[in-house]
Amino acid sequence: MSAMPEFSSFYRAVNAGRDPLPWQARLAAHVCATGMWPSEIAVQTGLGKTSCLDIAVYALADSARQGAQVSAMPRRIWYVVDRRLLVDVATTHARRLSHLLAHPDEASDGTSIAAIRAVADALSSLAALRSADGPLHVSQLRGGAELGSRAPDPSQPALILSTVAMYASRLLFRGFGSSNSMRPIDAAHAGVDALVLLDEAHLARPLVTLLKRSAECDLGSPETTVPATRARPVLVALTATGERKPDRFELDEADLAHPLVRRRLGAVKPTRLVEVDRKQLSEALCDAALDLVTARGAASCVVFCNTAGRAREVEHLLATKVTKQRSSLEVLLLTGRIREREAHLVRARLLDENDGVPAGRNTEQVRERPLVVVATQTLEVGADLDFDALVSESASVRALTQRFGRLDRLGDRPHSAAVICHLRDGDDPVYGDEPTAVWSRLVERGETELGLGPAVIADVLGEPADFPPRAAELLGEHLFEYAKTTSPEPGEPPIELFYSGLEEPTATLSLCWRAHLPEDGTRLVPSVRDIESVEIPIREARDALVRRGLDPVRRLDRDAASLETVAVAALAPGDVIVLPATTGLYDDKGWSPDASDTVLDVGLLGAGILPLAVEAIRALLARSTDPSDVRALLAELDDFADEPDLEAETDVIERLLNVLRGLAAHEAMVPGEWASFLDHLEPRPVRANDDVAYLLARRETRVRSGPQV
């Protein structure tokens, strides 16, 4: 085995020649020397916490020198965070790291090649089976189960980038996107030989408790198979607003003296305070953003709202004023109540190197038009985004700290500015009375403009006053029942209670929309995937469904594959409701109880499946840009549906191809999407469970959809 390089050499090799910051090198040295991670890493936003992935991979390779059987570092490195945008960005870095380890010769110079090859050789020595993809397996878990999401064998070093729900569901034998037969395997991958880097841990405090309780309730003895240091999940909380644990890892004097750290922590971020009545709040947020962009010349601005409803209202006001003023301003909306498909389009826009807002973007490059992003908490910890200006509702200490991390993130925007708008009458529906206490502390300082840069924001805002959400306490009996993956007990408690909490506002169910629904008890094709669903507070979902006359509704049955009809009053947290696409309640910007237009079925598009049913085709073509020939296409499809022989005689196949050619002229929401979807369909109809006939994509292009959200 090649001699291990210094961590700084490896870091430079996989990070385009950049030197590690002092804290990164110090943490790597500590982990390698002691074989242990600190339970909390309190490094401020913008200072490279994602590098913990590099440190973990390096430490695992370093421990391989002890031998595969006694290596102290866990084989599976989980990066878990309650924001999909961060999962996406971390995955991009993880895949680049994996690629370099598989192809060291692609590094920039001889020194880098040697450093990467040494780490790759060490990692390879740990795996029982050699993988063609290289020594480090990478998978992303944030919606459904994709082919290749598991490492080839349990000994394979792996980076797994996951949302909280995807990790916690696996830990409790109910893996979202896992089949019944694979749930025990996925539980073992999450609960044994696993290092869990929980980013922004303050957003997932119930998961911290769950990990501790699951270890206490587990009566097994994994120590007989792996060393004790790897027998249970090793949890590391990555957050600057954490619980101040005894072994908390923080910046030291060497870090604070570093020029890059000093510049980023020294950003001033001047902030103006505005107090308004409830009826004026949305207007005040809108006007503050317009003022920062038009009067102060900010090229980009983020507006943080505490609720999704407020965010939609502010976005609508902004869009209306922009239209009236004939401004070139671009307005985007991003909330947590949007399907992954649409959210992905927004995130891609934000991360665009030329016209988005990624940190490190060349500020000398003139933006085509100013950009205003209206967002909820979903963007508070959203990756390396860097705005020129910020507007926010008053909020909790933790929320404001995270929000200001999106403003002048790298400390190179001296003209950055912010506005905080406070509601003077009443508590906040999300943060209770804490915003009022924070506001009082801000006002008492008596300054026209406050500086809320990273170096001072903690002192200015004061100590957080929030409490961890109440979560259900996991008992040994719960874990014993969850382990019965083949025959789950009826009426078992939803797993969300253990990692999301018990409070009614946080209790959610999932909604998805389908162009074709089979009869009760018939398997839903394709299975529901997380990327096509949206989570809604259960009380709000019930109210909207009843108001629209959608009672009863269709719910995924216990088998997570077929449907059953239930009353809206009987809906429970964690339920998955499948609505006909024609019911509305959703638009291009997300959940909208007043929307009535047909919703695009992205489950069919994503899985490469087309039901040969008139109502399904009509729903899929509802957004057609050229509907003139839709009636003729549906008539031809009706004729085909009556055809008794699905093995397809020549004339049936020809008529079917004519239908496909006609459909290819239509576009859905993304240009080219329909044509690509139809191009991959096999023109050979099949039936599933006595339902309508389907066309399937060619096997090599088909996406595997897990049976459960």
Side-chain angles (χ1 to χ4, degrees), residues 189-239:
H189 285 179
V192 178
D193 214 359
L195 168 68
V196 181
L197 301 174
L198 182 58
D199 203 356
E200 306 301 345
H202 62 281
L203 298 174
R205 284 179 281 179
L207 179 60
V208 177
T209 303
L210 173 62
L211 279 164
K212 179 181 178 182
R213 287 294 299 153
S214 66
E216 294 171 349
C217 294
D218 186 359
L219 301 180
S221 301
E223 297 89 349
T224 60
T225 305
V226 296
T229 55
R230 295 156 46 197
R232 308 292 182 192
V234 177
L235 175 65
V236 182
L238 311 179
T239 177

Side-chain angles (χ1 to χ4, degrees), residues 65 83 346 494 533 619 662 666 669 686:
R65 295 180 302 172
R83 294 292 183 267
V346 177
S533 66
H666 297 273
M669 290 171 56
V686 297

